[in-house]
Short mmCIF file of all heavy atoms in Angstrom, two decimals:
data_model
loop_
_atom_site.label_atom_id
_atom_site.label_comp_id
_atom_site.label_asym_id
_atom_site.label_seq_id
_atom_site.Cartn_x
_atom_site.Cartn_y
_atom_site.Cartn_z
N TYR T 78 0.55 -98.93 138.15
CA TYR T 78 -0.27 -100.12 137.94
C TYR T 78 0.40 -101.17 137.07
O TYR T 78 -0.20 -102.09 136.61
CB TYR T 78 -1.60 -99.71 137.30
CG TYR T 78 -2.28 -98.63 138.07
CD1 TYR T 78 -2.44 -97.36 137.54
CD2 TYR T 78 -2.70 -98.86 139.37
CE1 TYR T 78 -3.04 -96.37 138.28
CE2 TYR T 78 -3.29 -97.86 140.11
CZ TYR T 78 -3.47 -96.63 139.56
OH TYR T 78 -4.05 -95.64 140.30
N GLY T 79 1.64 -101.03 136.83
CA GLY T 79 2.32 -101.97 135.98
C GLY T 79 3.44 -101.25 135.27
O GLY T 79 3.76 -100.12 135.57
N ASN T 80 4.05 -101.91 134.30
CA ASN T 80 5.21 -101.31 133.66
C ASN T 80 5.32 -101.83 132.24
O ASN T 80 5.67 -102.99 132.02
CB ASN T 80 6.47 -101.66 134.46
CG ASN T 80 7.68 -100.94 133.93
OD1 ASN T 80 7.61 -100.26 132.92
ND2 ASN T 80 8.79 -101.09 134.62
N ASP T 81 4.98 -100.98 131.26
CA ASP T 81 5.20 -101.39 129.88
C ASP T 81 6.41 -100.66 129.31
O ASP T 81 6.58 -100.56 128.10
CB ASP T 81 3.95 -101.13 129.02
CG ASP T 81 3.57 -99.65 128.93
OD1 ASP T 81 4.28 -98.82 129.54
OD2 ASP T 81 2.59 -99.34 128.24
N PHE T 82 7.26 -100.15 130.21
CA PHE T 82 8.47 -99.45 129.78
C PHE T 82 9.52 -100.46 129.36
O PHE T 82 9.81 -101.42 130.06
CB PHE T 82 9.01 -98.58 130.92
CG PHE T 82 10.23 -97.79 130.54
CD1 PHE T 82 10.11 -96.54 129.97
CD2 PHE T 82 11.50 -98.31 130.73
CE1 PHE T 82 11.23 -95.81 129.61
CE2 PHE T 82 12.63 -97.59 130.38
CZ PHE T 82 12.49 -96.34 129.82
N ASP T 83 10.12 -100.23 128.19
CA ASP T 83 11.19 -101.09 127.68
C ASP T 83 12.25 -100.20 127.05
O ASP T 83 12.07 -99.68 125.96
CB ASP T 83 10.63 -102.07 126.65
CG ASP T 83 11.70 -103.02 126.11
OD1 ASP T 83 12.88 -102.89 126.52
OD2 ASP T 83 11.37 -103.89 125.29
N ILE T 84 13.35 -100.02 127.77
CA ILE T 84 14.37 -99.07 127.31
C ILE T 84 15.04 -99.52 126.01
O ILE T 84 15.62 -98.70 125.29
CB ILE T 84 15.42 -98.84 128.42
CG1 ILE T 84 16.15 -97.50 128.19
CG2 ILE T 84 16.40 -100.00 128.52
CD1 ILE T 84 16.93 -97.02 129.38
N SER T 85 14.94 -100.80 125.69
CA SER T 85 15.54 -101.27 124.43
C SER T 85 14.81 -100.72 123.22
O SER T 85 15.33 -100.75 122.10
CB SER T 85 15.53 -102.80 124.39
OG SER T 85 14.20 -103.31 124.30
N ARG T 86 13.58 -100.19 123.43
CA ARG T 86 12.82 -99.60 122.31
C ARG T 86 13.07 -98.10 122.15
O ARG T 86 12.49 -97.46 121.28
CB ARG T 86 11.32 -99.83 122.51
CG ARG T 86 10.93 -101.29 122.69
CD ARG T 86 9.46 -101.52 122.38
NE ARG T 86 8.58 -100.59 123.05
CZ ARG T 86 7.88 -100.85 124.15
NH1 ARG T 86 8.01 -102.03 124.75
NH2 ARG T 86 7.08 -99.95 124.68
N LEU T 87 13.93 -97.54 123.00
CA LEU T 87 14.21 -96.10 122.95
C LEU T 87 14.78 -95.72 121.59
O LEU T 87 15.73 -96.35 121.11
CB LEU T 87 15.19 -95.73 124.06
CG LEU T 87 15.59 -94.25 124.16
CD1 LEU T 87 14.39 -93.38 124.48
CD2 LEU T 87 16.69 -94.06 125.21
N LYS T 88 14.22 -94.68 120.98
CA LYS T 88 14.63 -94.29 119.62
C LYS T 88 15.79 -93.32 119.58
O LYS T 88 16.36 -93.08 118.51
CB LYS T 88 13.42 -93.67 118.89
CG LYS T 88 12.26 -94.62 118.69
CD LYS T 88 11.09 -93.91 118.03
CE LYS T 88 9.89 -94.83 117.87
NZ LYS T 88 8.72 -94.13 117.27
N TYR T 89 16.14 -92.72 120.73
CA TYR T 89 17.17 -91.69 120.74
C TYR T 89 18.12 -91.91 121.92
O TYR T 89 17.68 -92.13 123.04
CB TYR T 89 16.54 -90.28 120.85
CG TYR T 89 15.47 -90.01 119.83
CD1 TYR T 89 14.12 -90.22 120.15
CD2 TYR T 89 15.79 -89.57 118.56
CE1 TYR T 89 13.13 -89.99 119.22
CE2 TYR T 89 14.80 -89.33 117.62
CZ TYR T 89 13.47 -89.55 117.95
OH TYR T 89 12.48 -89.31 117.03
N ASP T 90 19.42 -91.82 121.65
CA ASP T 90 20.40 -91.99 122.72
C ASP T 90 20.39 -90.80 123.67
O ASP T 90 20.62 -90.95 124.87
CB ASP T 90 21.80 -92.16 122.13
CG ASP T 90 22.84 -92.40 123.21
OD1 ASP T 90 22.77 -93.44 123.86
OD2 ASP T 90 23.71 -91.52 123.39
N LYS T 91 20.14 -89.60 123.13
CA LYS T 91 20.10 -88.40 123.95
C LYS T 91 18.74 -87.73 123.84
O LYS T 91 18.24 -87.49 122.73
CB LYS T 91 21.19 -87.40 123.52
CG LYS T 91 22.61 -87.81 123.86
CD LYS T 91 23.59 -86.70 123.49
CE LYS T 91 25.01 -87.04 123.92
NZ LYS T 91 25.57 -88.18 123.17
N ILE T 92 18.15 -87.44 125.00
CA ILE T 92 16.94 -86.63 125.07
C ILE T 92 17.36 -85.31 125.70
O ILE T 92 17.75 -85.26 126.86
CB ILE T 92 15.87 -87.32 125.92
CG1 ILE T 92 15.45 -88.64 125.25
CG2 ILE T 92 14.66 -86.41 126.12
CD1 ILE T 92 14.57 -89.52 126.13
N ILE T 93 17.31 -84.24 124.91
CA ILE T 93 17.88 -82.96 125.32
C ILE T 93 16.78 -81.92 125.50
O ILE T 93 16.04 -81.62 124.56
CB ILE T 93 18.92 -82.46 124.28
CG1 ILE T 93 20.00 -83.54 124.07
CG2 ILE T 93 19.54 -81.14 124.73
CD1 ILE T 93 20.91 -83.26 122.89
N LEU T 94 16.66 -81.40 126.71
CA LEU T 94 15.67 -80.35 126.98
C LEU T 94 16.30 -79.01 126.62
O LEU T 94 17.33 -78.63 127.16
CB LEU T 94 15.27 -80.36 128.46
CG LEU T 94 14.94 -81.74 129.07
CD1 LEU T 94 14.45 -81.56 130.50
CD2 LEU T 94 13.92 -82.49 128.24
N MET T 95 15.67 -78.30 125.69
CA MET T 95 16.24 -77.05 125.19
C MET T 95 15.23 -75.92 125.40
O MET T 95 14.32 -75.71 124.60
CB MET T 95 16.62 -77.18 123.71
CG MET T 95 17.49 -76.04 123.20
SD MET T 95 18.23 -76.39 121.59
CE MET T 95 16.83 -76.16 120.50
N THR T 96 15.39 -75.20 126.51
CA THR T 96 14.47 -74.12 126.85
C THR T 96 15.25 -72.82 127.04
O THR T 96 16.48 -72.80 127.05
CB THR T 96 13.71 -74.45 128.15
OG1 THR T 96 14.65 -74.63 129.21
CG2 THR T 96 12.89 -75.72 127.99
N ASP T 97 14.51 -71.74 127.19
CA ASP T 97 15.15 -70.43 127.36
C ASP T 97 15.97 -70.39 128.65
O ASP T 97 15.64 -71.04 129.65
CB ASP T 97 14.09 -69.32 127.40
CG ASP T 97 13.41 -69.13 126.06
OD1 ASP T 97 13.96 -69.60 125.05
OD2 ASP T 97 12.33 -68.51 126.03
N ALA T 98 17.05 -69.59 128.63
CA ALA T 98 17.93 -69.47 129.80
C ALA T 98 17.38 -68.44 130.78
O ALA T 98 18.03 -67.45 131.11
CB ALA T 98 19.34 -69.09 129.33
N ASP T 99 16.15 -68.67 131.25
CA ASP T 99 15.54 -67.76 132.24
C ASP T 99 14.72 -68.59 133.21
O ASP T 99 14.71 -69.82 133.16
CB ASP T 99 14.68 -66.70 131.54
CG ASP T 99 13.58 -67.30 130.66
OD1 ASP T 99 13.28 -68.51 130.81
OD2 ASP T 99 13.01 -66.56 129.84
N VAL T 100 14.02 -67.92 134.13
CA VAL T 100 13.26 -68.62 135.15
C VAL T 100 12.15 -69.47 134.54
O VAL T 100 11.91 -70.60 134.96
CB VAL T 100 12.69 -67.61 136.18
CG1 VAL T 100 11.69 -68.30 137.10
CG2 VAL T 100 13.81 -66.99 136.99
N ASP T 101 11.45 -68.93 133.52
CA ASP T 101 10.39 -69.70 132.88
C ASP T 101 10.94 -70.96 132.23
O ASP T 101 10.34 -72.04 132.31
CB ASP T 101 9.67 -68.85 131.83
CG ASP T 101 8.64 -67.91 132.46
OD1 ASP T 101 8.24 -68.16 133.60
OD2 ASP T 101 8.26 -66.93 131.80
N GLY T 102 12.10 -70.82 131.59
CA GLY T 102 12.74 -71.98 130.98
C GLY T 102 13.12 -73.02 132.02
O GLY T 102 12.93 -74.23 131.80
N SER T 103 13.63 -72.56 133.16
CA SER T 103 13.99 -73.49 134.23
C SER T 103 12.76 -74.20 134.78
O SER T 103 12.81 -75.38 135.14
CB SER T 103 14.70 -72.74 135.36
OG SER T 103 15.93 -72.21 134.91
N HIS T 104 11.63 -73.46 134.85
CA HIS T 104 10.39 -74.08 135.33
C HIS T 104 9.92 -75.17 134.37
O HIS T 104 9.49 -76.24 134.79
CB HIS T 104 9.31 -73.01 135.50
CG HIS T 104 8.07 -73.53 136.18
ND1 HIS T 104 6.83 -72.95 136.02
CD2 HIS T 104 7.89 -74.58 137.02
CE1 HIS T 104 5.94 -73.62 136.72
NE2 HIS T 104 6.55 -74.61 137.35
N ILE T 105 10.03 -74.90 133.09
CA ILE T 105 9.65 -75.91 132.09
C ILE T 105 10.56 -77.13 132.20
O ILE T 105 10.10 -78.28 132.15
CB ILE T 105 9.68 -75.31 130.67
CG1 ILE T 105 8.58 -74.26 130.53
CG2 ILE T 105 9.50 -76.41 129.62
CD1 ILE T 105 8.65 -73.45 129.25
N ASP T 106 11.87 -76.89 132.37
CA ASP T 106 12.80 -78.00 132.58
C ASP T 106 12.37 -78.84 133.79
O ASP T 106 12.40 -80.07 133.75
CB ASP T 106 14.22 -77.48 132.82
CG ASP T 106 14.89 -76.97 131.55
OD1 ASP T 106 14.43 -77.34 130.45
OD2 ASP T 106 15.84 -76.20 131.66
N THR T 107 11.99 -78.17 134.87
CA THR T 107 11.59 -78.86 136.09
C THR T 107 10.35 -79.72 135.87
O THR T 107 10.28 -80.86 136.32
CB THR T 107 11.32 -77.85 137.22
OG1 THR T 107 12.50 -77.06 137.44
CG2 THR T 107 10.95 -78.55 138.51
N LEU T 108 9.37 -79.18 135.15
CA LEU T 108 8.16 -79.95 134.85
C LEU T 108 8.48 -81.16 133.98
O LEU T 108 7.96 -82.26 134.20
CB LEU T 108 7.14 -79.05 134.15
CG LEU T 108 6.51 -77.94 135.02
CD1 LEU T 108 5.75 -76.95 134.15
CD2 LEU T 108 5.59 -78.54 136.08
N LEU T 109 9.35 -80.97 132.99
CA LEU T 109 9.73 -82.08 132.11
C LEU T 109 10.50 -83.15 132.89
O LEU T 109 10.27 -84.35 132.70
CB LEU T 109 10.58 -81.55 130.95
CG LEU T 109 9.84 -80.74 129.89
CD1 LEU T 109 10.81 -80.03 128.97
CD2 LEU T 109 8.90 -81.63 129.08
#
């Protein structure tokens, strides 16, 4: 319905997903 996204306001250069090295962790990565 619109776009209030502004990448210039991003607070972090890297967004790192850190989950367990198993199937559940991979599922969480997929959802994220």
Side-chain angles (χ1 to χ4, degrees):
Y78 307 113
N80 187 355
D81 63 0
F82 182 88
D83 182 358
I84 202 165
S85 67
R86 304 201 311 259
L87 180 63
K88 297 177 182 177
Y89 308 95
D90 182 65
K91 289 185 175 67
I92 296 170
I93 304 169
L94 313 185
M95 192 167 76
T96 59
D97 291 343
D99 57 16
V100 170
D101 280 341
S103 296
H104 188 204
I105 293 171
D106 286 340
T107 302
L108 291 168
L109 289 168

